[in-house]
Amino acid sequence: MLSASLAVPGQAAAAPSAPAAPVLPAAPAAPGKQAVATGYGGAVATVDLDASRTAIEVLKNGGNAMDAAVAAGATLGVTEPYVAAIGGGGYMTYYDAKRRKVYTVDGRETAPKAMRADSFVDPATGKAIPFDQAVTSGLGVGVPGTLAQWDTALRRFGTRDLGTLLKPAIRVAERGFTVDQEFRDQTAVNEARFRDIVPTRELFLPGGKPPAVGSTFRNPDLARTYRELARRGPAWMYEGGLGREIARTVQKPPVDPAATRNVRPGLMKDGDLGAYRSRTPAPTRVSYRGLEVYGMPPSSSGGSTIGEALNILDDFQLGAGDPVKALHYYLEASKLAYADRGRYVGDPDKVDVPLKELLSDGFARERACLIKPDRAAAAPVAPGSPDGDYAPCVPPGGATRALAYEGPQTTHLVVADKWGNVVAYNVTIEQFGGSGITVPGRGFILNNELTDFTLQPPAPGSPPDPNLPGPGKRPRSSMAPTIVLQDGRPRLALGTPGGSTIITTVLQILLNRIDLGMDLPAAVAAPRATQRNTPQVFAEQAFIDRYGRALAERGHLVELFAGPPAGVIGAATGLEFLRPGLVQAVAEPVRRGGGSALVVRPSK
């Protein structure tokens, strides 16, 4: 294994510096947003200026990182309602500075008790219903986990109550926020189906059309819902009236009688909400170049797949002197890890996930020996055998499984406080606009997370699929809120939206920062490619322009990423501790309109 330490500004580098990374074409920055902020007293990076300001307000008023993350998440429910809402769920990774330990909080949605492996199969055809019909339906709605997750996180790690932390979001919902191009575009993409759902149309298509750029968007219904949550607490959703409203909406979606869209009813009942519990499993952990990388365990596949890929890469010497070599190994390691993800990872409460073996050095060496230095393996490659009996090299297997679709829309934020606590947090309702179904009078859209299950059971005689629907089961996710420690203390925290590309985006940023010598802003801005055990490598145009020909010579078929959004992979946020107390927060400079990085006290 190789060892390295991260170079920071003003200190000697442990690895040669890389040239400045090529970035995406410039786009107008949103007013007030900055992609990089460096300073003291705490830091935050989100996709949204209002959410970042909320987090800084909490930090300045004495709240800690978890308080700020929850408050920012609530604000994103107002300003980013198509990706972040209390009708969804998510994952948190948390470094506790006092205990010097990493924890996780799993708020992933669950399937209702009535869900079965063939619930998405049309009896008339024996095939899964069309994907768009599964998305825009009550059938795809999982029991929301966000509020339970916030409650668990604040009880264990926070210092403020939920009611206090909802106040900034209530202000934004009442006063409104300025509609930018990204918000209008996300609304326009959903316009046809939003028009068919009465409360969704009334809220998000004011005057019958997407709101204009520069207009003010208010959500008084969500402000009232947040106020009631502040008064009643999360039990109002899981044991009370709000939960009954959600279940009724899922069972009978409020579709316009004139609409021709087939919006199927869902299976959720009141008792499904009452049975929901957030989880606090141990994080995944691998060592890479002398750093400790912590991630989200199953039901997310983020930590296990990133961890396995890093273990594979740790067997090779990579550096800024040969970025094409490094990218070749990155793509091949991703290919192998995704094969194992598809075969073995699901909800560990419902299926046996061999997590320890997937993250073992022996399994990584067995997989690494399949990588050829000058030639890409034909994809899809077969999964390995994480059985504890590892030979120096094994031949490729035969059984493969196609990459299942996973919606690319979520959001990620990072927060650090003056005490050194750190949160990396992914929150989502799955697609842009989730199920498209707004709970009447409540101001939020319900998720379509259950479409992350494999909708079609495998044919008889095929390998078992760990991600089939089932009662109370969490669908597999790729969300990967990641924290990196150096000498037992936090050094990096990062994550991104992007569905199944989340894993490769986080992995590539780590490769850029640790192996290719980029600083974190350059590592985030650098053009991206994703290899998820598919015949093609999908990439951004700047990546193709820079590396496409050289990688093609090694057998990689590099094509433009189709999106959505077309040609754009992810929208990352991250932070790095440059030295004790000094933190650099980093958001996207361009992708999806750019993000917002802020600190409590900027450095001079």
Side-chain angles (χ1 to χ4, degrees), residues 45 47 65 88 153 166 181 190 226 263 273 306 313 340 366 434 439 461 509 580 586 593:
V47 299
L166 288 173
Q181 190 65 50
N190 283 289
Y226 276 175
V263 182
L273 287 108
I306 289 170
L313 291 173
D340 300 323
E366 194 172 78
V439 181
I509 291 171
V586 180

Side-chain angles (χ1 to χ4, degrees), residues 338-555:
Y338 268 84
D340 300 323
R341 167 191 180 270
R343 173 63 182 85
Y344 298 110
V345 180
D347 183 348
D349 289 345
K350 304 296 181 180
V351 297
D352 182 20
V353 180
L355 183 61
K356 181 179 178 181
E357 294 302 325
L358 286 171
L359 294 177
S360 68
D361 290 337
F363 184 59
R365 285 192 295 270
E366 194 172 78
R367 300 298 270 160
C369 74
L370 300 176
I371 299 178
K372 297 179 180 179
D374 57 354
R375 197 69 189 168
V381 300
S385 298
D387 53 11
D389 181 17
Y390 304 121
C393 256
V394 295
T400 63
R401 177 172 286 122
L403 178 69
Y405 181 82
E406 185 176 344
Q409 292 81 21
T410 174
T411 192
H412 182 269
L413 62 90
V414 286
V415 185
D417 61 34
K418 63 184 179 182
W419 298 284
N421 302 302
V422 179
V423 179
Y425 177 26
N426 269 117
V427 61
T428 183
I429 59 173
E430 217 276 349
Q431 295 279 298
F432 278 137
S435 65
I437 301 171
T438 298
V439 181
R442 292 301 173 194
F444 64 89
I445 299 173
L446 294 170
N447 69 83
N448 65 287
E449 294 293 353
L450 301 189
T451 61
D452 278 352
F453 283 124
T454 304
L455 304 187
Q456 178 77 46
S462 299
D465 189 324
N467 193 41
L468 290 175
K473 190 175 182 180
R474 286 167 158 82
R476 181 173 62 212
S477 171
S478 294
M479 288 184 275
T482 301
I483 293 177
V484 179
L485 305 188
Q486 184 172 12
D487 300 326
R489 297 190 180 278
R491 189 56 182 275
L492 296 169
L494 70 155
T496 183
S500 60
T501 69
I502 288 172
I503 292 166
T504 53
T505 295
V506 172
L507 185 60
Q508 190 176 356
I509 291 171
L510 291 172
L511 178 82
N512 290 343
R513 179 68 189 95
I514 298 168
D515 291 301
L516 297 184
M518 300 179 195
D519 62 17
L520 187 59
V524 168
R528 295 176 186 145
T530 179
Q531 169 51 270
R532 293 161 288 160
N533 199 24
T534 59
Q536 307 92 337
V537 173
F538 293 102
E540 296 173 336
Q541 187 61 52
F543 184 96
I544 296 172
D545 295 342
R546 179 76 179 263
Y547 303 112
R549 179 173 295 180
L551 289 170
E553 292 174 354
R554 299 191 186 213

Side-chain angles (χ1 to χ4, degrees), residues 553-570:
E553 292 174 354
R554 299 191 186 213
H556 297 279
L557 179 60
V558 186
E559 296 183 3
L560 185 66
F561 181 68
V568 178
I569 300 175

Side-chain angles (χ1 to χ4, degrees), residues 90 167 177 184-185 210-211 232 271 281 291 306 319 333 337 343 355 433 461 492 546 550:
K167 289 179 180 178
F177 62 91
R184 190 188 188 287
D185 288 347
R232 295 175 179 262
L291 305 168
I306 289 170
R343 173 63 182 85
L355 183 61
L492 296 169
R546 179 76 179 263

Side-chain angles (χ1 to χ4, degrees), residues 131-433:
F131 186 74
D132 63 334
Q133 294 184 24
V135 169
T136 309
S137 76
L139 194 60
V141 180
V143 177
T146 290
L147 281 174
Q149 181 184 41
W150 289 353
D151 186 54
T152 298
L154 292 175
R155 288 178 186 274
R156 291 198 62 180
F157 308 115
T159 68
R160 300 289 189 269
D161 63 84
L162 180 61
T164 299
L165 299 174
L166 288 173
K167 289 179 180 178
I170 292 170
R171 289 199 306 269
V172 176
E174 289 179 332
R175 297 174 185 174
F177 62 91
T178 301
V179 172
D180 61 11
Q181 190 65 50
E182 182 74 9
F183 185 83
R184 190 188 188 287
D185 288 347
Q186 290 180 17
T187 309
V189 166
N190 283 289
E191 183 175 358
R193 66 185 187 128
F194 280 8
R195 195 175 299 282
D196 289 344
I197 312 293
V198 175
T200 308
R201 180 179 68 214
E202 292 174 347
L203 178 59
F204 294 110
L205 298 175
K209 58 185 179 181
V213 174
S215 64
T216 299
F217 186 90
R218 296 180 177 87
N219 192 337
D221 286 347
L222 185 57
R224 286 190 293 269
T225 301
Y226 276 175
R227 276 206 188 86
E228 197 70 9
L229 278 171
R231 188 170 72 87
R232 295 175 179 262
W236 183 44
M237 174 179 283
Y238 297 102
E239 300 171 9
L242 181 59
R244 289 190 292 273
E245 292 178 36
I246 290 171
R248 184 165 60 246
T249 303
V250 170
Q251 293 165 18
K252 191 175 180 179
V255 182
D256 187 329
T260 59
R261 186 181 303 274
N262 182 6
V263 182
R264 288 173 167 81
L267 303 173
M268 191 185 302
K269 297 181 179 180
D270 297 359
D272 293 313
L273 287 108
Y276 185 86
R277 299 291 184 273
S278 60
R279 301 171 63 245
T280 55
T284 61
R285 174 186 170 276
V286 299
S287 179
Y288 186 69
R289 317 293 196 207
L291 305 168
E292 301 302 315
V293 181
Y294 289 83
M296 200 71 210
S299 57
S300 176
S301 62
S304 62
T305 311
I306 289 170
E308 180 186 342
L310 288 174
N311 282 342
I312 293 170
L313 291 173
D314 213 20
D315 280 339
F316 302 100
Q317 187 170 356
L318 309 174
D322 192 346
V324 172
K325 172 187 174 182
L327 290 167
H328 168 72
Y329 280 97
Y330 150 68
L331 295 171
E332 293 299 280
S334 298
K335 189 182 298 178
L336 294 164
Y338 268 84
D340 300 323
R341 167 191 180 270
R343 173 63 182 85
Y344 298 110
V345 180
D347 183 348
D349 289 345
K350 304 296 181 180
V351 297
D352 182 20
V353 180
L355 183 61
K356 181 179 178 181
E357 294 302 325
L358 286 171
L359 294 177
S360 68
D361 290 337
F363 184 59
R365 285 192 295 270
E366 194 172 78
R367 300 298 270 160
C369 74
L370 300 176
I371 299 178
K372 297 179 180 179
D374 57 354
R375 197 69 189 168
V381 300
S385 298
D387 53 11
D389 181 17
Y390 304 121
C393 256
V394 295
T400 63
R401 177 172 286 122
L403 178 69
Y405 181 82
E406 185 176 344
Q409 292 81 21
T410 174
T411 192
H412 182 269
L413 62 90
V414 286
V415 185
D417 61 34
K418 63 184 179 182
W419 298 284
N421 302 302
V422 179
V423 179
Y425 177 26
N426 269 117
V427 61
T428 183
I429 59 173
E430 217 276 349
Q431 295 279 298
F432 278 137

